[in-house]
Amino acid sequence: MHKLRVIFDTDPGLDDAIALLFLLGARDEIELLGVSCVAGNVGIEAVSRNARIICEWADRRDVEVYAGAARPLVRHLVTAEHVHGKTGMEGAPMHTPSMALQAAHAVDFIIDTLRREPAGTVTLCPVGPLTNIALALLKAPDIAPRIRQIVLMGGAYFAGGNVTPAAEFNFYVDPHAAQQVLHAGIPLVMLPLDVTHKACTSARRVAALASLPNHCGPLAASLLTSFERHDVKKFGQIGAPLHDPCAVAYLLDPALFQGREVNVEVETDSPLTQGHCSVDWWGTSGRASNALYITEVDADAMFARMAQAMINLP
Ligand code: RIB
Ligand code: CA
């Protein structure tokens, strides 16, 4: 079977950690070319450490992890320790990773990989603020046509915001980067809150991971339990929306999802609504579509797919 060749761009982050374990478990379907880290949920040092810890949980010290942007393109950095804890992975068994951080900057890794690999063979899967992707496109515009597809977690429209009433966190942290990426002319799939809020944890779904006969399954279950504590309080519902794993699930099985090709514009100026996605769902703007905007998921099948992948982990 032809493997998908993926660069995973991330700001771990508890749901990022689940997504990366999910991706590492799908070793037969995905060739991970590298992990590029971006400041978001917590600062760049912490996310770069966390990404290596996650790889070591999966006994994958072969994965190349790169540190990227320490702040957004224009705005000051806003982080989310209140959700993910000071370490960025509250509740997780932390250790000092033995695998080294790669010397190159993540943006240069993205550029060099896209220039080296055959055009149209590399998929970018960003699940944090889009700063690294935007910087790579600004520094090396020639890479845009070489990108097979961008499958990103970010944005919101029908679901409203999660960091302000108007904006989802990844797009709020770096709205300029999001607008830049959305206008790069690259085939792009968005997994916004409109779909991730339909893929929530539950006692049954967490138990399915906790009962896996390995180390990473129960570990993922404990991360989910830690992750959901914030959202249960905030949304007053049982279970937390599992954002970043939706992007990995889409990579593996797009048929689990449904959406519409629409025009998406990101507000970059208004202090009240920066990061807001103006999604032209009814085609009233006359603007060209620039994203496959996903709004539906078969959540049971997605969680089953995640457990099926994670059983391959140590
Ligand atoms: O809004 C959810 C997104 O913001 C997820 O990627 C989560 O990890 C945070 O980065
Ligand atoms: Ca994230």
Side-chain angles (χ1 to χ4, degrees), residues 10-17 40-41 80 83-84 126-129 153-155 162-163 167-171 173 193 196-197 227 241 243-244:
T10 181
D11 62 331
L14 286 163
D15 61 320
D16 303 69
N41 285 318
V83 176
H84 299 270
V127 295
M153 189 278 137
N162 60 358
V163 64
E168 174 278 325
F169 180 79
N170 290 336
F171 278 36
V173 169
L193 299 183
T196 67
H197 280 194
F227 178 63
H243 307 295
D244 296 343

Coordinates of all heavy atoms in Angstrom, one line a residue, residues 10-17 40-41 80 83-84 126-129 153-155 162-163 167-171 173 193 196-197 227 241 243-244, ligand 1:
T10 N 3.2 20.9 15.0 CA 2.4 20.7 16.2 C 2.9 21.6 17.4 O 4.0 22.0 17.4 CB 2.5 19.2 16.6 OG1 1.8 18.9 17.8 CG2 4.0 18.8 16.9
D11 N 2.0 21.7 18.4 CA 2.3 22.5 19.6 C 1.9 21.8 20.8 O 1.0 22.2 21.6 CB 1.6 23.9 19.5 CG 0.1 23.8 19.5 OD1 -0.4 22.8 19.0 OD2 -0.6 24.7 20.0
P12 N 2.5 20.5 21.0 CA 2.0 19.7 22.1 C 2.1 20.3 23.5 O 3.2 20.7 23.9 CB 2.9 18.4 22.0 CG 4.0 18.8 21.2 CD 3.6 20.0 20.4
G13 N 1.0 20.2 24.2 CA -0.4 20.1 23.9 C -0.9 18.6 24.1 O -0.3 17.7 23.4
L14 N -1.9 18.5 24.9 CA -2.4 17.1 25.2 C -3.1 16.5 24.0 O -2.9 15.3 23.7 CB -3.4 17.2 26.4 CG -2.8 17.4 27.8 CD1 -3.8 17.9 28.8 CD2 -2.1 16.1 28.3
D15 N -3.9 17.3 23.3 CA -4.6 16.6 22.1 C -3.6 16.4 21.0 O -3.7 15.5 20.2 CB -5.8 17.4 21.7 CG -5.5 18.8 21.3 OD1 -4.7 19.5 21.9 OD2 -6.1 19.3 20.3
D16 N -2.6 17.3 20.9 CA -1.5 17.1 20.0 C -0.8 15.7 20.3 O -0.4 15.0 19.4 CB -0.4 18.2 20.1 CG -1.0 19.6 19.8 OD1 -1.7 20.1 20.7 OD2 -0.6 20.2 18.8
A17 N -0.6 15.5 21.6 CA 0.1 14.2 22.0 C -0.7 13.0 21.6 O -0.1 12.1 21.0 CB 0.3 14.2 23.5
G40 N 2.6 27.6 20.8 CA 1.1 27.7 20.8 C 0.6 27.4 22.1 O 0.5 28.3 23.0
N41 N 0.2 26.1 22.3 CA -0.3 25.8 23.7 C 0.6 26.2 24.8 O 0.2 26.7 25.8 CB -0.6 24.3 23.7 CG -1.8 23.8 22.9 OD1 -2.8 24.5 23.0 ND2 -1.6 22.8 22.2
A80 N -1.8 28.5 26.2 CA -3.0 27.9 26.8 C -2.7 26.9 27.9 O -3.1 25.8 28.0 CB -3.8 27.1 25.7
V83 N -5.4 25.2 29.8 CA -6.0 24.0 29.3 C -5.0 22.8 29.4 O -5.4 21.7 29.8 CB -6.4 24.2 27.8 CG1 -6.9 22.9 27.2 CG2 -7.4 25.3 27.7
H84 N -3.8 23.1 29.0 CA -2.8 22.0 28.9 C -1.8 21.9 30.1 O -1.0 21.0 30.1 CB -2.0 22.1 27.6 CG -2.9 22.1 26.4 ND1 -3.2 20.9 25.7 CD2 -3.6 23.1 25.7 CE1 -4.1 21.2 24.7 NE2 -4.3 22.5 24.7
P126 N -0.6 20.4 9.9 CA -0.4 21.3 11.0 C -1.6 21.3 12.0 O -2.7 21.4 11.5 CB -0.3 22.7 10.4 CG -0.8 22.6 9.0 CD -1.0 21.1 8.7
V127 N -1.3 21.2 13.3 CA -2.3 21.1 14.3 C -2.1 22.1 15.4 O -2.6 22.0 16.5 CB -2.5 19.7 14.9 CG1 -3.0 18.7 13.8 CG2 -1.2 19.2 15.5
G128 N -1.4 23.2 15.1 CA -1.1 24.3 16.0 C -1.3 25.6 15.2 O -1.7 25.6 14.0
P129 N -0.9 26.7 15.8 CA -0.8 27.9 15.0 C 0.0 27.7 13.7 O 1.0 27.0 13.7 CB -0.1 28.9 15.9 CG -0.5 28.4 17.3 CD -0.4 26.9 17.1
M153 N -5.8 21.3 11.5 CA -6.8 21.5 12.5 C -6.8 22.9 12.9 O -5.8 23.5 13.3 CB -6.5 20.7 13.8 CG -7.7 20.7 14.8 SD -7.7 22.2 15.8 CE -9.5 22.6 15.8
G154 N -7.9 23.6 12.7 CA -8.0 25.0 13.1 C -9.3 25.7 12.5 O -9.9 25.1 11.7
G155 N -9.6 26.8 13.1 CA -10.7 27.6 12.6 C -12.0 27.2 13.3 O -12.1 26.2 14.0
N162 N -13.3 29.2 20.7 CA -13.0 28.6 22.0 C -12.0 29.4 22.8 O -11.9 29.1 24.0 CB -12.5 27.1 21.8 CG -11.2 27.0 21.0 OD1 -10.7 28.1 20.5 ND2 -10.7 25.8 20.9
V163 N -11.4 30.4 22.2 CA -10.5 31.2 23.0 C -11.1 32.6 23.1 O -10.9 33.3 24.1 CB -9.1 31.2 22.4 CG1 -9.1 31.8 21.0 CG2 -8.1 32.0 23.3
A167 N -13.2 33.3 17.8 CA -12.1 32.6 17.2 C -11.6 31.3 17.9 O -11.7 31.2 19.1 CB -10.9 33.6 17.1
E168 N -11.2 30.4 17.1 CA -10.6 29.2 17.6 C -9.1 29.4 17.9 O -8.5 30.3 17.2 CB -10.7 28.1 16.4 CG -10.1 26.8 16.7 CD -8.6 26.8 16.4 OE1 -8.2 27.5 15.5 OE2 -7.8 26.1 17.1
F169 N -8.5 28.7 18.8 CA -7.2 29.0 19.4 C -6.1 29.1 18.3 O -5.3 30.1 18.2 CB -6.8 28.0 20.4 CG -5.5 28.2 21.0 CD1 -5.3 29.2 22.0 CD2 -4.3 27.5 20.6 CE1 -4.0 29.4 22.6 CE2 -3.1 27.7 21.2 CZ -2.9 28.7 22.2
N170 N -5.9 28.1 17.4 CA -4.8 28.1 16.5 C -4.9 29.3 15.5 O -3.9 30.0 15.2 CB -4.8 26.8 15.6 CG -4.4 25.6 16.5 OD1 -3.7 25.8 17.5 ND2 -4.9 24.4 16.0
F171 N -6.1 29.7 15.1 CA -6.3 30.8 14.2 C -6.2 32.1 14.9 O -5.8 33.1 14.4 CB -7.6 30.7 13.4 CG -7.5 29.8 12.2 CD1 -6.7 28.6 12.2 CD2 -8.2 30.1 11.1 CE1 -6.7 27.8 11.1 CE2 -8.2 29.3 9.9 CZ -7.4 28.2 9.9
V173 N -4.2 32.7 17.6 CA -2.8 32.9 18.0 C -2.1 33.6 16.8 O -1.3 34.5 17.0 CB -2.1 31.6 18.4 CG1 -0.6 31.8 18.6 CG2 -2.7 31.1 19.8
L193 N -13.5 23.6 14.7 CA -14.2 23.2 15.8 C -15.6 22.6 15.4 O -16.2 21.8 16.2 CB -14.4 24.4 16.8 CG -13.2 25.0 17.4 CD1 -13.6 26.2 18.3 CD2 -12.3 24.0 18.1
T196 N -14.6 19.1 15.2 CA -14.0 18.5 16.3 C -14.9 18.4 17.6 O -14.8 17.5 18.4 CB -12.7 19.2 16.7 OG1 -13.0 20.5 17.2 CG2 -11.7 19.3 15.5
H197 N -15.8 19.3 17.6 CA -16.8 19.3 18.7 C -17.8 18.1 18.6 O -18.6 17.8 19.5 CB -17.6 20.6 18.8 CG -16.8 21.7 19.5 ND1 -17.4 22.9 19.9 CD2 -15.5 21.8 19.8 CE1 -16.5 23.6 20.5 NE2 -15.3 23.0 20.4
F227 N -7.0 15.9 29.6 CA -7.4 16.9 28.7 C -8.9 17.3 28.9 O -9.2 18.5 28.8 CB -7.2 16.4 27.3 CG -7.6 17.3 26.2 CD1 -7.0 18.5 26.0 CD2 -8.7 17.0 25.3 CE1 -7.4 19.4 25.0 CE2 -9.1 17.8 24.3 CZ -8.4 19.1 24.1
P241 N -13.9 17.8 23.3 CA -13.7 17.6 21.8 C -12.2 17.3 21.5 O -11.3 17.9 22.0 CB -14.0 19.0 21.3 CG -14.1 19.9 22.4 CD -14.2 19.1 23.7
H243 N -9.6 17.6 19.3 CA -9.3 18.4 18.1 C -8.3 17.8 17.2 O -8.6 17.3 16.1 CB -8.8 19.8 18.6 CG -9.7 20.5 19.5 ND1 -11.0 20.9 19.2 CD2 -9.6 20.8 20.8 CE1 -11.6 21.5 20.3 NE2 -10.7 21.4 21.2
D244 N -7.0 17.7 17.6 CA -5.9 17.4 16.7 C -6.0 16.0 16.1 O -5.7 15.8 14.9 CB -4.6 17.6 17.4 CG -4.4 19.1 17.7 OD1 -5.1 19.9 17.1 OD2 -3.5 19.4 18.5
Ligands
RIB1 O1 -8.5 25.0 19.3 C1 -7.9 23.7 19.4 C2 -6.5 23.7 19.0 O2 -5.8 24.6 19.8 C3 -5.8 22.4 19.2 O3 -4.8 22.3 18.2 C4 -5.2 22.5 20.5 O4 -4.0 21.7 20.6 C5 -4.8 23.9 20.5 O5 -3.5 24.0 19.9

